[in-house]
Amino acid sequence: MPTPLAIDTDPGIDDALAILLALASPEVDLKLVTTVHGNVDLARTTENALRVLHLAGRSDVPVAAGAHDSLVHPQPERAGHVHGTAGLGGVELPPSPAAVDPRPAVVALTELLTASPEPVTIVAIGPLTNIALLLRVHPAAAARIGRLVIMGGSAARGGNVTAAAEFNVWADAEAAQAVLTSTLPTVLVGLDVTLPTVLDEDGIARFAAAGPIGARAAAILQQYVDHARTAYGTTGVVVHDALAVTEAILPGTLGTVRRDVVVDTGLGFGRGQTLVDRRTVSTAPTAVEVAEHVDSAAAVEFLVSRLASLDARPV
Ligand code: BDR
Ligand code: CA
């Protein structure tokens, strides 16, 4: 029985890859995509989510739009320089025949969580605004989340958007603080495990050669490859969001340790930093499973083979 899955996302190049990975994976049943401001504005993340699903022949998956900005302080800056101003690396995917779901994201998530006979996994791969709102508006529904897997934060690797902060946490620090100090069963997939996980150009070439879906996915990645070369000194793509989706598909892929985590919500240089207490293994109900160990080669191989398989399915 596949695990019901919802993805909360801001596509975003690596978000697009993460959505495609979920669609290629029989262990999960993608029931819902909710969108949030982040890499680009909400209108674009929503349109991009629709188009990515359509690319994979899955415009039946509902897309519900969520928060257009962060909870307290407006998001300081988008990431168009990384993802392209429209969010998909300058690639224009064909429009989807599907319309945006009329429900706000928190309502769509609430209905899914309440109606599902099985515990639902949520993977949050953008700023945490929608998840924080769900917690505050529909706590009983949030309490039904089976697993919340978050791409965000950093325990020991510093930041990527500032010296201290990872982008998704920095983009809505107050939301991240609310979520990471809640009792939701949370796994935090941060830069400690994503930065070493690099999809190189040979891997990209493998799914690019598989067919039209893989070729489009590879084209979307090209801008990210160029950015990663300058930003991280790598000759490939750092796999952030797809690694979180991998952990959602195959729980236990990453080695985690229960830690207490708080977010710096001050307005100084440390804003958005995740302060992960690595002195002890926590037994607090609010503790978070922090991903500290990854087999990066295996994770990349999994991603490449799953993406290549998309073109082998009947669409
Ligand atoms: C995260 O920030 C975004 O730009 C990516 O899509 C990913 O979710 C990495 O820090
Ligand atoms: Ca993202």
Side-chain angles (χ1 to χ4, degrees):
M1 182 81 163
T3 303
L5 181 74
I7 300 182
D8 187 63
T9 178
D10 62 335
I13 293 172
D14 60 330
D15 300 76
L17 213 60
I19 293 169
L20 292 174
L21 172 61
L23 294 175
S25 297
E27 298 86 350
V28 291
D29 179 7
L30 184 58
K31 299 276 191 196
L32 174 67
V33 172
T34 51
T35 56
V36 65
H37 69 96
N39 288 318
V40 286
D41 64 33
L42 181 69
R44 287 195 177 91
T45 60
T46 306
E47 181 61 27
N48 290 343
L50 286 166
R51 290 184 184 218
V52 169
L53 290 167
H54 178 49
L55 169 67
R58 291 299 310 275
S59 41
D60 58 299
V61 177
V63 174
H68 64 81
D69 210 337
S70 37
L71 293 183
V72 180
H73 298 283
Q75 185 185 334
E77 154 190 334
R78 305 279 174 211
H81 58 293
V82 181
H83 297 266
T85 47
L88 292 181
V91 172
E92 179 82 4
L93 293 179
S96 170
V100 183
D101 192 295
R103 297 170 297 172
V106 290
V107 175
L109 283 167
T110 297
E111 290 182 3
L112 174 64
L113 289 162
T114 308
S116 177
E118 307 290 329
V120 177
T121 294
I122 297 180
V123 195
I125 54 177
L128 288 161
T129 320
N130 290 341
I131 308 300
L133 286 169
L134 177 71
L135 259 177
R136 292 293 185 261
V137 179
H138 296 290
R144 293 176 62 91
I145 294 173
R147 266 181 114 216
L148 172 65
V149 184
I150 294 171
M151 191 283 127
S154 170
R157 298 285 296 239
N160 61 353
V161 66
T162 70
E166 181 281 328
F167 179 82
N168 288 340
V169 173
W170 172 83
D172 193 342
E174 284 76 14
Q177 166 69 357
V179 173
L180 292 173
T181 57
S182 75
T183 54
L184 294 180
T186 302
V187 182
L188 190 64
V189 179
L191 299 181
D192 310 273
V193 288
T194 65
L195 287 181
T197 306
V198 178
L199 168 60
D200 67 14
E201 288 172 284
D202 289 348
I204 296 171
R206 272 172 59 203
F207 59 79
I213 303 174
R216 279 267 167 75
I220 292 170
L221 281 175
Q222 191 53 51
Q223 169 150 345
Y224 216 63
V225 173
D226 297 341
H227 168 75
R229 191 176 295 121
T230 337
Y232 304 120
T234 59
T235 53
V237 176
V238 174
V239 179
H240 295 297
D241 293 342
L243 190 62
V245 169
T246 302
E247 175 60 31
I249 295 167
L250 298 175
T253 294
L254 303 172
T256 64
V257 184
R258 251 181 115 70
R259 306 287 195 196
D260 293 318
V261 181
V262 292
V263 176
D264 184 341
T265 54
L267 297 176
F269 294 121
R271 181 170 173 77
Q273 180 177 12
T274 43
L275 298 156
V276 177
D277 190 347
R278 290 186 299 148
R279 295 172 300 172
T280 50
V281 176
S282 176
T283 52
T286 52
V288 168
E289 294 286 342
V290 176
E292 298 188 359
H293 306 285
V294 59
D295 180 343
S296 294
V300 169
E301 179 55 35
F302 178 75
L303 174 63
V304 169
S305 58
R306 287 288 165 103
L307 290 177
S309 77
L310 277 171
D311 281 296
R313 297 168 323 153
V315 174

